[in-house]
Amino acid sequence: MQSPSRSHPAPVEHLKDVEQEKSLRPSSWLQWDVESCEWDILLFSTAVKLLLYHCYRSTDFEVHRNWLAITHSLPLSKWYYDTTSEWTLDYPPFFAYFEKLLSFPAAFIDPKIVEISNLNYDSWSVILYQRTTVILSELVLASVLLRFIRGSVDSSTQRIISASIFLHPGFLIIDHIHFQYNGFMFGILLWSILMARKGNKLASGILFSILLNFKHIYMYLAPAYFIYLLRSYCLAPSGRLQVKNFLALANAVIAVFVVSLGPFIAIGQLPQLLSRLFPFTRGLNHAYWAPNVWALVTATDRLLLQYVKRKGIDIAINASGVASTSRGLVGDTVFAVLPNIRPVHTFMATIFFQSICLVKLWITPTYKSFLTALTLCGYSSFLFGWHVHEKAILLVLVPLSLLAAERQAYFRTFIIVSVSGVFSLFPLLFTPGESIIKVVYSALWIMFVYVSLRKRVYEFPRTPALVVLDLVEKLYLAGFPLLLILINLFPALATSYRGSVTGAMEFLPLMATSVYCAIGVVWGFIRLLFVYLNEDRIYQGQLSEIQ
């Protein structure tokens, strides 16, 4: 068993008494009083989302409408074979069952919504219905966040964190404008994490298994769950296998997958289903590079290509790579100067960095260690994965939010990654009206979180090196407003200078956004990994200073 100090390695000064907590309560309009306003936050959030019904909708809106039609109009045996639309069903069965459930009210409201041949149907009935289902399904997230508050030692701080997650710009941009159901599924993830915090590890494992059968991208987090549940639930502190616990967990997980995949296995469609879930024919980068390591490598290849051309250096240049990586299209990324990256390379890099934090988790299988390792597993997959979408940054931002108030090192990492990650989502919304919304809402959100949490965790840099690091990080964050101005002025400036914006120049704002955000996201990973691996040494040093 872990000692209390190792289970909760936060500094002693963070264990505030009631009077200290009162002194930290909000004193300005930016520090929203979240002590007793859960319903106010819910109503405010719902009102904002209702006002967004008329906003821009991505192709994902039609994707989900089509899935309503597929699951309602076709027998189960044809769900993963249908190609009436290019937006074929490619989520696991539980999400298909979820769409089937949503299709019944949809058919009652407007039968045309679930007509399989009624492609790109965009009447107000389908807009109102689908937007409303996102809001209602997100109540799972709201419910879980309230339960986090109820069981927290420091309920005041947890209220701020819960409010920041529920009001997160990522959910507003991706779910309520662009259109997806991430809030609902992250609600299940947080429910699983909450069960781990409460010590109910069997329930935690079951909920995560259910989540995997809603959306398979969460398998990036599976290694942390496997190590944590094996080490803390299936093995005794002595290392002896606890057979009863192991069988209970194994049977529960198997039962979840049987319920999900069983019908498709019974009719011999498992290979077809898996081919839909894992299409390996896509390239290294998405059309808009996710802000990860490969964005920086791709940008480096572009710079090296220009340098080689201008200096006339005689080296082999891959001709197909000259136009590949900056064309803004979905397809294979081919480098002109650097060696090409293959799926096996991304897999090996991901496993390597996940293994580093998993070793620490095996040694210290506490809840805090699990939560940090879980965040780092999702982080590693985002940074080094193959064909990563920018929307996957939520796998990092949401669990990282739960660590934001641990102490200054976590808080600063959270701020850097949140600003970089949220800004990287801005290109999803490119119409004028939505552009104003995303900027203003995100700015207000980051101010609310920063002002509300800073007094609770702030520590002045103790060494000259930390002072310099603090300054550099602040300068980096200060660059985002400048970047926003430049990418918005770029079309006008380029047109006045060149007469038109064509070719690679057309995608320069996207490339600049991706690369600048990638710097912050990569640095946040290095920061978080260092803090996690050195947690015990740092904590003991702080304890010695206090004593």
Side-chain angles (χ1 to χ4, degrees):
M1 295 291 291
Q2 298 293 327
S3 65
S5 63
R6 290 181 62 84
S7 297
H8 302 281
V12 171
E13 60 264 34
H14 288 175
L15 302 177
K16 310 174 185 68
D17 59 24
V18 175
E19 291 304 316
Q20 287 174 312
E21 251 191 78
K22 287 180 180 178
S23 69
L24 291 172
R25 286 179 181 175
S27 58
S28 73
W29 68 275
L30 282 176
Q31 292 175 288
W32 194 352
D33 184 2
V34 291
E35 288 294 320
S36 58
C37 65
E38 289 94 344
W39 281 105
D40 293 338
I41 291 173
L42 179 62
L43 292 174
F44 166 77
S45 174
T46 303
V48 171
K49 293 162 187 174
L50 290 172
L51 292 174
L52 298 176
Y53 272 32
H54 71 287
C55 285
Y56 158 81
R57 303 181 306 277
S58 73
T59 53
D60 281 345
F61 191 87
E62 169 60 17
V63 168
H64 287 278
R65 189 218 58 82
N66 187 56
W67 292 358
L68 289 174
I70 289 173
T71 55
H72 186 84
S73 304
L74 299 178
L76 180 142
S77 61
K78 295 184 179 180
W79 286 2
Y80 289 96
Y81 278 96
D82 179 72
T83 56
T84 305
S85 166
E86 61 179 310
W87 313 120
T88 54
L89 181 59
D90 58 5
Y91 272 27
F94 275 179
F95 199 88
Y97 303 152
F98 173 68
E99 293 279 8
K100 175 74 172 179
L101 184 64
L102 294 181
S103 74
F104 292 113
F108 176 77
I109 292 169
D110 182 356
K112 292 184 178 179
I113 295 175
V114 293
E115 288 182 9
I116 194 70
S117 60
N118 193 21
L119 303 181
N120 299 310
Y121 185 55
D122 62 352
S123 74
W124 264 105
S125 60
V126 68
I127 293 171
L128 290 171
Y129 180 71
Q130 292 201 171
R131 294 284 196 201
T132 302
T133 60
V134 175
I135 293 176
L136 292 177
S137 65
E138 206 175 50
L139 292 176
V140 174
L141 176 64
S143 173
V144 173
L145 291 173
L146 282 174
R147 295 182 67 184
F148 263 98
I149 297 170
R150 301 292 183 263
S152 177
V153 174
D154 184 356
S155 60
S156 175
T157 300
Q158 184 59 56
R159 278 187 173 90
I160 296 170
I161 293 172
S162 291
S164 73
I165 293 175
F166 190 69
L167 299 172
H168 203 287
F171 292 136
L172 191 85
I173 292 171
I174 299 175
D175 286 7
H176 298 282
I177 301 179
H178 190 269
F179 195 84
Q180 283 189 6
Y181 289 91
N182 289 288
F184 163 62
M185 288 182 284
F186 272 99
I188 301 175
L189 174 64
L190 290 173
W191 191 2
S192 174
I193 293 173
L194 178 65
M195 290 298 100
R197 192 182 79 171
K198 289 185 171 183
N200 193 342
K201 295 163 187 175
L202 178 60
S204 178
I206 293 172
L207 285 166
F208 183 69
S209 300
I210 292 171
L211 180 62
L212 283 177
N213 285 278
F214 269 98
K215 193 171 183 179
H216 49 304
I217 193 174
Y218 293 98
M219 67 187 301
Y220 294 153
L221 309 179
Y225 269 94
F226 176 78
I227 294 297
Y228 177 63
L229 294 177
L230 175 64
R231 183 70 176 84
S232 66
Y233 183 70
C234 297
L235 298 179
S238 63
R240 179 179 56 84
L241 178 66
Q242 300 187 98
V243 178
K244 181 180 178 181
N245 287 356
F246 175 79
L247 291 178
L249 181 61
N251 289 333
V253 171
I254 291 171
V256 170
F257 277 85
V258 167
V259 172
S260 172
L261 302 174
F264 299 94
I265 295 174
I267 58 178
Q269 289 192 5
L270 185 61
Q272 173 64 19
L273 190 155
L274 294 177
S275 70
R276 284 284 182 88
L277 299 185
F278 302 102
F280 292 109
T281 57
R282 297 170 180 173
L284 173 66
N285 293 322
H286 191 48
Y288 158 58
W289 312 337
N292 59 10
V293 166
W294 307 128
L296 297 179
V297 172
T298 307
T300 301
D301 182 73
R302 293 293 89 193
L303 292 174
L304 288 175
L305 176 61
Q306 296 303 317
Y307 179 79
V308 168
K309 284 181 176 180
R310 292 184 179 182
K311 296 295 183 179
I313 300 174
D314 186 20
I315 64 170
I317 296 177
N318 188 338
S320 60
V322 173
S324 169
T325 56
S326 62
R327 62 190 179 184
L329 302 175
V330 176
D332 197 14
T333 299
V334 181
F335 293 154
V337 179
L338 297 176
N340 286 321
I341 303 296
R342 302 299 179 197
V344 65
H345 302 144
T346 65
F347 178 78
M348 291 173 63
T350 301
I351 294 299
F352 173 76
F353 283 99
Q354 285 187 340
S355 298
I356 294 174
C357 59
L358 292 176
V359 170
K360 170 71 180 291
L361 178 59
W362 179 268
I363 297 170
T364 314
T366 62
Y367 166 74
K368 166 71 182 307
S369 182
F370 163 65
L371 181 56
T372 313
L374 182 76
T375 305
L376 285 166
C377 277
Y379 217 145
S380 300
S381 300
F382 181 81
L383 287 185
F384 302 101
W386 179 264
H387 197 80
V388 174
H389 284 237
E390 65 280 2
K391 296 185 285 292
I393 192 64
L394 289 178
L395 283 175
V396 179
L397 298 181
V398 173
L400 183 59
S401 299
L402 298 176
L403 294 165
E406 286 294 325
R407 58 188 180 83
Q408 171 67 13
Y410 286 98
F411 175 66
R412 175 56 69 85
T413 305
F414 166 75
I415 292 297
I416 293 171
V417 180
S418 293
V419 174
S420 304
V422 170
F423 197 98
S424 74
L425 296 174
F426 281 7
L428 290 173
L429 308 178
F430 47 83
T431 50
E434 285 73 25
S435 295
I436 295 173
I437 293 170
K438 70 187 181 186
V439 173
V440 172
Y441 185 90
S442 299
L444 291 174
W445 179 84
I446 198 67
M447 284 192 290
F448 158 66
V449 175
Y450 181 80
V451 173
S452 299
L453 291 179
R454 183 177 182 274
K455 286 185 178 181
R456 299 166 186 266
V457 297
Y458 181 74
E459 300 169 16
F460 189 81
R462 293 184 173 87
T463 66
L466 290 178
V467 171
V468 172
L469 179 61
D470 181 71
L471 178 61
V472 171
E473 289 176 342
K474 287 178 178 176
L475 288 174
Y476 171 76
L477 291 172
F480 279 98
L482 297 176
L483 177 62
L484 182 65
I485 293 170
L486 288 175
I487 62 178
N488 281 282
L489 290 179
F490 173 79
L493 294 174
T495 301
S496 63
Y497 176 70
R498 299 171 60 96
S500 63
V501 183
T502 57
M505 293 292 289
E506 183 179 355
F507 303 104
L508 188 57
L510 282 177
M511 294 167 63
T513 300
S514 177
V515 171
Y516 195 79
C517 291
I519 293 171
V521 172
V522 172
W523 171 241
F525 175 77
I526 296 170
R527 221 180 185 285
L528 183 61
L529 185 61
F530 176 83
V531 172
Y532 178 54
L533 296 179
N534 293 276
E535 184 77 61
D536 297 335
R537 181 179 61 80
I538 295 171
Y539 173 60
Q540 291 301 328
Q542 291 177 336
L543 200 59
S544 299
E545 287 183 13
I546 294 170
Q547 294 172 344

